[in-house]
Amino acid sequence: MHSHYTSQLDTATGRIDLSHGGGGRAMSQLIAQLFIRHFDNPWLRQANDQALFEVETGRLVISTDGHVISPLFFPGGDIGSLAVHGTINDVCMSGAQPLYLTVGFILEEGLPLADLEKIVVSMAAAAGQANTPIITGDTKVVERGKADGVFITTTGVGRVAAGVDISADRARPGCAILISGSIGDHGVAIMASRENLQFETSIVSDSAALNSLVTDMVAAAPTAICCLRDPTRGGLAAALNELALASGVGMLIDERRIPVKPEVRAACEILGLDPLYIANEGKLLCICASPAAERLLEAMRRHPLGRDAMQIGEVTADPHHLVQMTSELGGRRIVDWPVGEQLPRIC
Amino acid sequence: MHSHYTSQLDTATGRIDLSHGGGGRAMSQLIAQLFIRHFDNPWLRQANDQALFEVETGRLVISTDGHVISPLFFPGGDIGSLAVHGTINDVCMSGAQPLYLTVGFILEEGLPLADLEKIVVSMAAAAGQANTPIITGDTKVVERGKADGVFITTTGVGRVAAGVDISADRARPGCAILISGSIGDHGVAIMASRENLQFETSIVSDSAALNSLVTDMVAAAPTAICCLRDPTRGGLAAALNELALASGVGMLIDERRIPVKPEVRAACEILGLDPLYIANEGKLLCICASPAAERLLEAMRRHPLGRDAMQIGEVTADPHHLVQMTSELGGRRIVDWPVGEQLPRIC
């Protein structure tokens, strides 16, 4: 039969070659036997170059994120689960509930199909858990040495409920600054796994989809949340500086209140890293009207991904938009923007 | 001032380094001085990790496409304009009008900022011309030798008007098969530019946004269009086979009716290529109810991107879903799926 795919992808020993991106039979097989099979949903089965969905009048958000993490597999996840979590989190930092995902793969010739299948299975599981189907996608293949295994760009669409109005420019002096849990886990897990450090088994990435935590927070205080941001690249320091700049305010945080796991703190000392600047993939920063802070912390702590939530400081009036921190010894220092690149390809 | 970007990106002699993907000051400068500056729109200026837009009840489509073309600059376009056109075209092959685009850049350390700026300016122009703003994005940087200059993944969202119902599985025996113009221009332009062939100046890519052509076609025959597809990777041969398979039909086309420019045909002979299998980036294949074929051809020919539109064949009943072609000599041959990879990184 010319038009039926009788041959099977060899996911045990096969490798990606240029024909898998050529638009012909090999690409169709890859799509059918790997992507459609695992992401299984009616949109993909329709075999269009786009997916169609119904909406009701209201506000949607869209977000896109490329993922180039190295190594592809790490303690607590892999590039596939990370690509799903990362984009879902960017969508829900607007207060939206994610609806759909799309995925663009850039594959390097020679990538073992077994690795790709593991990644696809992991993406499918992460998308399923977050109730956000992957409804369309694209695959490109480049020659050996022109990429690094696999890069994954995901895009997410979500819906913002009426009355919810969350944006980077809405922080006001007096607002409370909350964090959903300990910082630095993701970055340190990646570094440890790259460097083959002894403590690597005890530290795992916090990579997780935050949409159900956001749902609980929005339900607890629908109009009191001003800003949400997931402190990924550049860590808490970058996220606070971005929000300070966008809102035209300052921030004052208290080092003693910022949760850092002892093993992460120890690893940071060995590696010469500052947890404030290290990427997280399952934490959120929330800036809210001060009277709602306790209510939000309670809602966060009831959720498995917010158990260690803390208020870590407050928004100040500051024409220089500085982020400052009261240190454990009582002094005050400026938490500046990250400079240079400490941890390339952390996400 | 800590929180204002006083230093200027050096777009004359500067190069991408890992800090441009680090989440810190260098990344903020790149975003502000290159992306926000050229893509300029209120969504990007809000500095959120996602963009928000209002919708009315109805049907949306979403499509995503990675672009890895080599070389980055080619006769008739560059990776930036191609990334805009490619995704707009995938969106409008559902009959939708595109509304918004997102972009994910994967940059290789060492990429000249002057090249990146040229690409960004070209994307901005293409998006402006197609009336489809780029409202959110992401940038990642990988080490030298781990990518190839720049990869661009674009995602587009569009809206389908009521009554329009276009999908790969809707072709029926008796339908007419139309093509909007000559085939093979894009692929041959890229090959010629790679090989430094003498005829390269006379052949330019057909890369173009097809949304206004689709608007005119939908207006001319809102309910008669069954399938639309842009014959990109794998060319007309792959597009016809995909539609035949998805709809469970056969196709019969007539070689004499398929427009191929003389210089493209000549280049194909030199390069040993078959125009049927060569990528196009500004053409569409339309399958429509036969009585509407003339009306659609007239509408297409009135549009600058459809001047050379032709009916090239018709849909047949065929349980084997074969695509067959009457050749110039009168014989009939099977136009099979492309096998292997003739033209890697054509888009």
Side-chain angles (χ1 to χ4, degrees):
Chain A
M1 297 280 84
H2 278 86
S3 41
H4 291 96
Y5 312 114
T6 48
S7 74
Q8 280 295 122
L9 266 191
D10 174 9
T11 51
T13 64
R15 289 177 180 271
I16 286 292
D17 62 49
L18 290 171
S19 73
H20 289 114
R25 197 183 293 276
M27 192 170 91
S28 289
Q29 285 177 337
L30 185 73
I31 292 171
Q33 295 178 28
L34 215 54
F35 301 134
I36 299 183
R37 179 172 156 228
H38 292 295
F39 297 154
D40 189 43
N41 62 58
W43 294 275
L44 285 177
R45 284 193 297 271
Q46 253 186 329
N48 285 311
D49 283 337
Q50 73 292 122
L52 187 145
F53 56 94
E54 309 263 344
V55 291
E56 285 173 25
T57 298
R59 293 173 299 162
L60 296 186
V61 292
I62 189 164
S63 187
T64 202
D65 234 337
H67 298 84
V68 299
I69 192 164
S70 172
L72 298 175
F73 302 93
F74 52 82
D78 56 58
I79 192 172
S81 54
L82 184 72
V84 169
H85 295 155
T87 289
I88 283 180
N89 292 351
D90 277 348
V91 165
C92 65
M93 291 306 111
S94 63
Q97 270 307 310
L99 298 170
Y100 304 107
L101 289 171
T102 74
V103 59
F105 291 98
I106 296 175
L107 308 175
E108 184 190 8
E109 182 187 15
L111 176 73
L113 285 172
D115 285 355
L116 183 58
E117 185 170 49
K118 258 168 60 182
I119 290 165
V120 167
V121 166
S122 165
M123 290 188 80
Q129 216 171 358
N131 213 5
T132 310
I134 297 168
I135 62 173
T136 190
D138 177 64
T139 308
K140 294 293 186 301
V141 179
V142 299
E143 308 91 327
R144 204 181 288 265
K146 299 295 186 187
D148 195 14
V150 49
F151 300 144
I152 304 178
T153 300
T154 41
T155 302
V157 172
R159 187 179 183 79
V160 187
V164 175
D165 195 2
I166 296 170
S167 177
D169 55 5
R170 299 196 65 240
R172 294 293 171 265
C175 281
I177 305 174
L178 317 180
I179 185 89
S180 65
S182 64
I183 63 168
D185 304 19
H186 175 73
V188 169
I190 303 306
M191 286 301 285
S193 110
R194 278 188 203 158
E195 310 283 332
N196 254 315
L197 296 185
Q198 286 223 293
F199 50 76
E200 75 170 287
T201 47
S202 65
I203 302 175
V204 298
S205 167
D206 59 344
S207 180
L210 295 166
N211 52 321
S212 72
L213 175 60
V214 170
T215 303
D216 291 359
M217 292 170 66
V218 168
T223 60
I225 303 171
C226 305
C227 319
L228 291 173
R229 184 147 298 202
D230 53 337
T232 55
R233 278 180 291 177
L236 190 57
L240 288 169
N241 273 286
E242 286 164 16
L243 297 178
L245 182 67
S247 292
V249 295
M251 307 267 180
L252 179 62
I253 57 173
D254 182 342
E255 188 169 18
R256 288 158 299 191
R257 292 172 158 272
I258 300 172
V260 183
K261 288 182 179 151
E263 60 271 31
V264 170
R265 193 182 297 279
C268 281
E269 277 167 21
I270 294 167
L271 296 166
L273 300 171
D274 182 340
L276 285 175
Y277 291 87
I278 295 183
N280 310 277
E281 292 291 345
K283 297 298 171 345
L284 64 80
L285 182 67
C286 170
I287 294 183
C288 66
S290 172
E294 266 312 310
R295 200 161 9 117
L296 276 166
L297 282 171
E298 278 163 28
M300 291 162 86
R301 288 174 183 152
R302 277 195 300 269
H303 191 283
L305 294 175
R307 265 198 314 260
D308 302 322
M310 288 289 284
Q311 174 167 354
I312 60 169
E314 59 176 29
V315 178
T316 59
D318 179 350
H320 302 312
H321 318 321
L322 296 183
V323 177
Q324 299 193 63
M325 183 168 77
T326 313
S327 76
E328 300 200 348
L329 301 173
R332 203 181 259 205
R333 70 173 175 95
I334 290 170
V335 177
D336 205 353
W337 288 83
V339 183
E341 174 54 88
Q342 301 174 8
L343 299 174
R345 301 183 60 191
I346 207 73
C347 60
Chain B
M1 297 279 82
H2 278 87
S3 39
H4 291 96
Y5 312 116
T6 47
S7 73
Q8 279 296 119
L9 265 191
D10 174 10
T11 51
T13 64
R15 288 177 181 271
I16 286 292
D17 62 49
L18 290 171
S19 73
H20 288 116
R25 198 184 292 275
M27 192 169 92
S28 290
Q29 284 177 337
L30 185 73
I31 293 170
Q33 294 178 27
L34 216 55
F35 301 133
I36 298 183
R37 178 172 157 227
H38 292 295
F39 297 155
D40 189 42
N41 62 59
W43 294 276
L44 285 177
R45 285 193 297 271
Q46 255 188 326
N48 285 311
D49 283 337
Q50 72 292 122
L52 187 145
F53 55 93
E54 309 263 343
V55 291
E56 284 172 25
T57 298
R59 292 174 301 162
L60 297 187
V61 293
I62 188 165
S63 188
T64 201
D65 234 339
H67 298 84
V68 299
I69 192 166
S70 172
L72 298 176
F73 302 93
F74 51 83
D78 56 59
I79 191 171
S81 53
L82 184 72
V84 169
H85 295 154
T87 289
I88 284 180
N89 292 350
D90 277 347
V91 165
C92 67
M93 292 307 110
S94 63
Q97 269 308 309
L99 297 171
Y100 304 107
L101 290 171
T102 74
V103 60
F105 291 98
I106 296 175
L107 308 175
E108 184 191 8
E109 181 187 14
L111 176 73
L113 284 172
D115 285 356
L116 183 58
E117 186 169 48
K118 257 166 64 180
I119 290 165
V120 167
V121 166
S122 164
M123 291 188 81
Q129 214 171 0
N131 212 5
T132 311
I134 298 168
I135 61 172
T136 188
D138 178 63
T139 309
K140 293 292 187 302
V141 179
V142 298
E143 307 90 326
R144 204 182 286 266
K146 298 296 186 186
D148 196 12
V150 49
F151 300 145
I152 303 179
T153 301
T154 40
T155 303
V157 172
R159 187 179 184 81
V160 188
V164 175
D165 196 3
I166 296 169
S167 177
D169 54 6
R170 300 195 65 241
R172 296 290 172 266
C175 281
I177 305 173
L178 318 180
I179 185 92
S180 64
S182 65
I183 63 169
D185 303 19
H186 175 73
V188 169
I190 302 305
M191 285 302 285
S193 111
R194 278 187 204 160
E195 310 281 333
N196 254 317
L197 295 184
Q198 286 223 293
F199 50 76
E200 74 172 287
T201 47
S202 65
I203 302 175
V204 296
S205 167
D206 59 345
S207 181
L210 295 166
N211 52 320
S212 72
L213 175 60
V214 170
T215 302
D216 290 359
M217 291 171 66
V218 168
T223 60
I225 303 171
C226 305
C227 319
L228 291 174
R229 185 148 297 204
D230 52 337
T232 56
R233 277 180 290 177
L236 189 59
L240 288 168
N241 274 287
E242 286 163 16
L243 297 178
L245 182 68
S247 291
V249 296
M251 308 266 178
L252 179 62
I253 58 175
D254 182 343
E255 187 168 18
R256 290 158 298 193
R257 294 173 155 271
I258 301 171
V260 183
K261 289 183 178 146
E263 60 271 32
V264 169
R265 192 183 297 280
C268 281
E269 276 167 21
I270 294 168
L271 296 166
L273 299 171
D274 182 340
L276 285 176
Y277 290 88
I278 294 184
N280 310 277
E281 292 291 344
K283 297 298 169 351
L284 64 80
L285 182 68
C286 169
I287 295 184
C288 67
S290 173
E294 266 313 311
R295 199 161 10 115
L296 275 166
L297 282 172
E298 279 164 27
M300 291 161 85
R301 288 173 182 153
R302 277 193 300 268
H303 191 283
L305 295 175
R307 266 197 315 259
D308 302 323
M310 287 290 286
Q311 173 165 355
I312 61 170
E314 59 175 31
V315 178
T316 60
D318 179 351
H320 302 312
H321 318 320
L322 295 183
V323 177
Q324 299 191 66
M325 183 168 77
T326 314
S327 77
E328 300 199 347
L329 302 172
R332 201 182 260 204
R333 69 170 175 97
I334 289 170
V335 177
D336 205 352
W337 288 83
V339 183
E341 174 54 87
Q342 300 174 10
L343 299 175
R345 301 183 57 191
I346 206 73
C347 60

